[in-house]
Amino acid sequence: MSINEAEPSAAPVDEIEARSQPSPAAGRPGRGPSRETLSSVATAAAFGLVFVVYAVWLQGGFYDVTRLSFDVSRSTPQLVLAIAVAVCLCGHLFDLSVAAMATAGCFLSVGMFIDAGLPMGLVIVLTLLVGAAAGLLNGLLVTKFKVNAFIATLGTGGLFAGFTVVYSSGKVIGPTPDSGPLPGWFSGAGSVGDFQNKAPLGVAVLVTAAVVAALLISLDQRFPGPEPRRRAQVTVLALLGALVVGAAWALGLPAEFDWMIVIALSLTLLVWTVMKYTAVGHAIYAVGGNPNAAAFAGIRVRAVSLCLFVFSGTIAALAGILIASQQGSAAPGVADPLLLPAYAGAFLSTVILSRGRFHIWGTVAGSIALVYVTDGLVVGGVPYTWTQVINGAVLIVTVALSTFLQRRPGA
C-alpha cells in the first residue's frame, strides 16, 4: 500500500497528477462526451428514475420536504464517515477502522464529560486528537511496519471496538442524576443535534452559495471538449439547478438548514478545498493515481499515506461526536452499521460527477442518494432490515462499474 520514497526528480507534481487522469484519447476532445462521462450521466439518470418510480408508487408520500431534510440530517454521521473513507480511497488506501473509531469517538464525547467532568469544548478537541492519534497508529502500521492496510485497520478497528466494550462493560453510557445532563447546546432540545434547531438564515445562505460555487467549479472540469462547449454545458446545468432549487422552495423547502447539515456541508467544503487547492491534496491524488510515478517525482509517499490515515481517523472521530450529539448517549457498536453505506457512498463517487476517480462531492451526492433510496423503500413498506442488503447490492454494483471504468484503455 505504500512504497519507499525515491530521490526527487525534475518531474513536476502536475505531470504526475495528469497520469491519473483519462488521456485525451479517452475523453475524445471535440467529439462529444466520452463513454466515462456517459456512464456518469447514466448513473445519475438511474437514480432519477428511482425517484420517478417513488413518485408513482408512493403517490407523493415520500416527497415531503421536511421528511427529506430530516433524512439527510439524521444521516449526517453516515455522510461524514463516507468522507473519511473517500479521503483514504483518493490515495488508494483502505481504512476499515473508521466505524469503530466513530463508536470510540461517541464514547469519548459522552464519557469524558460524565466521568471526568471536563468541559464539552475541551472534550471535543481531545476526541478529535484521539482520532488523529488512532489514524497515526494505522498509518505507522501500514507505512513503517508494512502491514497490509486491510489487516492493519481491521485489527485496530477491533482494538477500538474492544476498548469501548471494556470501558462501558457492554452497556449504554449516558447522563445520570449525579453527572447531570449533557450541555444544552450539544445535545437535547434546541441543541446542535436537534433537527428543529435551525442555523441562522445568513449562515444557510453563505453555505449554500459556497456549495453551489464549488459544484460549478467541479462540473466545469468534468466535461470534455472545447472551452466554449464546456462553458455552455455548465451554464445549462446551473440553470437547471436553479430551476430545481426554485421549484423546491416554491413547494415549501425550508429556507434554513439545521446545524447537522451545516456541519456536513462545511466539512465537505473544507475537505474539497484541501484536496483541490493544496499541495497535500495534489500529492494525495498523485499517489492514488500512480504511487511509483509519484515517488520518482519526489513526493514523499509514506508521509502522504500517513496523512491520509490521520485525516480519516480525525473525521471518523467527528462522526462519533455527531452521533453523541444526536443521541445524547453512547452504545457499543453504535457506528458499526454505518461502515457499509459509507463505502457504498464513496464508491458511488466514481460514477457520479467523476470518470472513475473518487471525488468528495460525488461521495456526498452518492451517500444522500443512497439514503433516499433505502428510506423510500421503507416508506413503501419494505422492512427496515433490508437496508443492509440494499447497501451491499449498491456497493457491489458501483465497485464493478468503477473497476470497469478504470480498466478501460486510457483511464
Side-chain angles (χ1 to χ4, degrees):
M1 287 297 176
S2 63
I3 60 178
N4 294 328
E5 293 83 7
E7 292 297 325
S9 66
V13 173
D14 290 342
E15 177 183 343
I16 303 304
E17 263 199 295
R19 298 179 190 179
S20 66
Q21 299 283 356
S23 66
R28 303 198 313 275
R31 299 183 183 180
S34 65
R35 292 185 179 182
E36 288 80 1
T37 302
L38 292 177
S39 298
S40 299
V41 174
T43 304
F47 279 105
L49 179 61
V50 169
F51 295 133
V52 171
V53 171
Y54 282 172
V56 176
W57 175 30
L58 303 177
Q59 299 295 324
F62 176 71
Y63 292 98
D64 178 78
V65 175
T66 302
R67 176 186 175 83
L68 293 177
S69 180
F70 174 75
D71 286 342
V72 176
S73 177
R74 176 180 55 83
S75 303
T76 298
Q78 175 182 319
L79 303 184
V80 172
L81 210 62
I83 294 175
V85 168
V87 166
C88 269
L89 290 175
C90 286
H92 210 283
L93 292 168
F94 286 82
D95 188 351
L96 300 180
S97 68
V98 288
M101 185 62 243
T103 299
C106 183
F107 271 96
L108 288 170
S109 301
V110 177
M112 282 194 290
F113 179 82
I114 293 176
D115 295 334
L118 298 177
M120 183 54 71
L122 178 60
V123 167
I124 292 175
V125 173
L126 292 177
T127 301
L128 294 177
L129 290 177
V130 171
L136 181 62
L137 173 62
N138 286 331
L140 289 175
L141 289 174
V142 173
T143 61
K144 184 68 174 178
F145 297 98
K146 304 298 182 181
V147 181
N148 182 278
F150 284 97
I151 302 301
T153 57
L154 187 63
T156 56
L159 288 177
F160 303 153
F163 284 141
T164 59
V165 174
V166 171
Y167 168 73
S168 65
S169 298
K171 300 177 182 179
V172 176
I173 300 296
T176 63
D178 295 333
S179 66
L182 295 174
W185 64 267
F186 179 76
S187 183
S191 68
V192 173
D194 182 15
F195 173 72
Q196 300 297 330
N197 184 23
K198 306 298 182 181
L201 180 60
V203 174
V205 171
L206 180 62
V207 172
T208 302
V211 169
V212 171
L215 286 175
L216 289 179
I217 293 173
S218 297
L219 288 172
D220 181 57
Q221 299 175 352
R222 291 290 179 264
F223 291 94
E227 186 72 15
R229 177 183 296 177
R230 291 198 301 119
R231 296 294 181 184
Q233 290 170 324
V234 172
T235 300
V236 171
L237 284 175
L239 291 175
L240 290 175
L243 289 175
V244 171
V245 172
W249 279 355
L251 292 174
L253 179 71
E256 298 176 335
F257 301 139
D258 68 284
W259 282 106
M260 281 289 171
I261 295 179
V262 170
I263 292 173
L265 292 179
S266 299
L267 175 66
T268 307
L269 284 167
L270 175 62
V271 175
W272 174 78
T273 301
V274 170
M275 297 292 289
K276 184 173 179 63
Y277 292 108
T278 68
V280 174
H282 296 166
I284 289 172
Y285 276 122
V287 171
N290 192 329
N292 291 298
F296 281 117
I299 295 176
R300 301 176 61 188
V301 177
R302 285 185 179 178
V304 171
S305 300
L306 204 61
C307 288
L308 285 174
F309 283 113
V310 171
F311 293 160
S312 178
T314 306
I315 296 173
L318 175 60
I321 294 172
L322 297 181
I323 294 174
S325 178
Q326 286 182 334
Q327 300 185 1
S329 62
V334 65
D336 289 352
L338 304 182
L339 183 62
L340 184 58
Y343 268 94
F347 272 95
L348 274 171
S349 71
T350 62
V351 291
I352 296 179
L353 301 178
S354 181
R355 293 174 295 194
R357 279 182 67 183
F358 293 98
H359 190 266
I360 300 302
W361 287 112
T363 297
V364 175
S367 297
I368 293 176
L370 188 61
V371 168
Y372 286 158
V373 167
T374 54
D375 285 359
L377 293 175
V378 173
V379 172
V382 176
Y384 187 78
T385 51
W386 283 84
T387 299
Q388 293 291 78
V389 176
I390 299 168
N391 292 335
V394 171
L395 179 59
I396 292 172
V397 172
T398 52
V399 169
L401 183 56
S402 174
T403 303
F404 169 75
L405 293 178
Q406 292 179 0
R407 288 182 176 177
R408 289 186 56 80

